[in-house]
Amino acid sequence: MTSDSPDARMSGTVEIGGELTVNRLGFGSMRITGNGIWGDPPDRDEAKAVLRRCIELGVDFIDTADSYGPEVSERLIAETLYPYPEDLIIATKGGLARPGPGRWVPDGRPEHLRRACEGSLARLRLDMIDLYQFHRPDPKVPIAESIGALAELKAEGKIRHVGVSNFTENQLREAERVTPIVSLQNRYNVTDRSSESLVDLCEQEMLVFLPWAPIQDAEESRAVIEAAARHGVSLRQVVLAWLLARSPQILPILGSSSPEHVEENVAAASLELSPDEIRAITKGA
């Protein structure tokens, strides 16, 4: 890798649970599956090339879930990257059932979460999952019961750290009464700021915030468009640079189905926005 090549290490680092240090540009593996996040990708070799390119560019955090495919994403990660690089952290999630393409049904029953976690361990060829996230609260199951199942798996040495996804602050506090929570994964981007206060909370309490759909609707922001034109880069690169500047606890996890898009995403690590550009994007100008 030449000095001017995209390099995820340029993004800086963040600590997960106070002990796992990763570069602040990760990879979200939902898109290496079929249409509707269902079944195999159209080109398995291309999907594997995406994963290999991530590693070559310094990405050392991959986010997946048993529901991606379902099971397809996890299997592809293991098939492509195992035995894993020593510094690679693979985070996965459980708590959603998949009755069909594009359909997602919460299932927070303790027995389901146990099966999901043990299935992920087998597919990923791991003895312990470094970060296991509860994918979404199930209105039919108390959060304490769902998180309690993950706490038991943690006590058994099958999970190192517990994270949550699609949670409100009240739900996060409820989960924290059961076991320490180290990360929160919610929708967050330049046009959807519904988790704004949770980003601040994560920064104050040193939790990692993983924004999903981080580049969506970037074309709706005039400030993003203007910054991209000034720097001669893509809208997605500006959005990623803004996320990195927004909080040191933000760990963007960019999805992609092509090695070229991976390179474009990682190149954002070296893009420096001015304070005025950051303020304009943050204000939604």
Side-chain angles (χ1 to χ4, degrees), residues 65-66 92-96 107 112-113 116-117 132-136:
D66 70 330
T92 192
K93 300 181 285 294
L96 288 178
D107 190 343
H112 171 83
L113 290 169
C117 178
Y132 193 86
Q133 304 158 90
F134 182 35
H135 210 150
R136 183 178 298 167

Side-chain angles (χ1 to χ4, degrees), residues 18-269:
E19 61 170 341
L20 303 175
T21 302
V22 298
N23 297 323
R24 286 183 61 214
L25 272 182
F27 178 72
S29 64
M30 185 172 69
R31 296 295 174 186
I32 56 169
T33 61
N35 188 38
I37 322 301
W38 188 264
D40 283 332
D43 187 334
R44 286 176 63 86
D45 289 340
E46 181 83 347
K48 291 181 177 183
V50 166
L51 291 166
R52 287 192 294 267
R53 193 63 178 136
C54 286
I55 301 303
E56 291 168 356
L57 297 179
V59 173
D60 57 6
F61 180 88
I62 294 178
D63 178 82
T64 185
D66 70 330
S67 57
Y68 296 165
E71 303 181 2
V72 171
S73 175
E74 291 180 331
R75 293 188 193 280
L76 275 172
I77 289 168
E79 288 175 18
T80 307
L81 302 178
Y82 186 87
Y84 301 116
E86 289 186 6
D87 60 348
L88 179 63
I89 301 299
I90 299 175
T92 192
K93 300 181 285 294
L96 288 178
R98 297 296 310 282
R103 299 178 63 194
W104 310 78
V105 179
D107 190 343
R109 294 172 300 151
E111 59 269 28
H112 171 83
L113 290 169
R114 176 170 287 275
R115 287 195 304 271
C117 178
E118 292 177 346
S120 292
L121 283 166
R123 286 185 292 276
L124 290 167
R125 307 179 196 176
L126 293 171
D127 296 322
M128 174 187 283
I129 294 169
D130 285 319
L131 176 61
Y132 193 86
Q133 304 158 90
F134 182 35
H135 210 150
R136 183 178 298 167
D138 183 346
K140 298 179 181 178
V141 181
I143 286 175
E145 290 186 17
S146 300
I147 300 299
L150 302 189
E152 290 178 3
L153 289 160
K154 181 179 176 182
E156 294 169 14
K158 297 177 180 178
I159 294 173
R160 186 184 302 275
H161 294 294
V162 177
V164 294
S165 180
N166 300 298
F167 266 46
T168 65
E169 181 176 352
N170 287 340
Q171 291 168 332
L172 172 62
R173 297 308 186 197
E174 188 173 351
E176 288 177 326
R177 288 194 285 270
V178 179
T179 195
I181 302 299
V182 303
S183 67
L184 172 63
Q185 184 170 161
N186 278 13
R187 180 183 170 93
Y188 183 75
N189 54 51
V190 293
T191 60
D192 185 346
R193 305 294 183 80
S194 55
S195 288
E196 195 83 68
S197 63
L198 287 166
V199 173
D200 293 334
L201 183 152
C202 286
E203 184 170 339
Q204 293 162 8
E205 302 186 8
M206 301 302 289
L207 306 181
V208 175
F209 185 90
L210 300 108
W212 64 265
I215 61 174
Q216 193 161 334
D217 299 328
E219 68 282 356
E220 296 182 11
S221 168
R222 179 167 56 85
V224 168
I225 294 170
E226 292 175 350
R230 277 192 295 271
H231 291 273
V233 298
S234 68
L235 300 183
R236 64 196 298 131
Q237 287 172 317
V238 170
V239 167
L240 289 175
W242 171 75
L243 284 169
L244 291 171
R246 169 64 181 84
S247 169
Q249 293 304 115
I250 285 183
L251 171 53
I253 43 172
L254 274 298
S256 177
S257 58
S258 78
E260 293 75 22
H261 278 162
V262 170
E263 293 170 8
E264 180 184 343
N265 292 339
V266 174

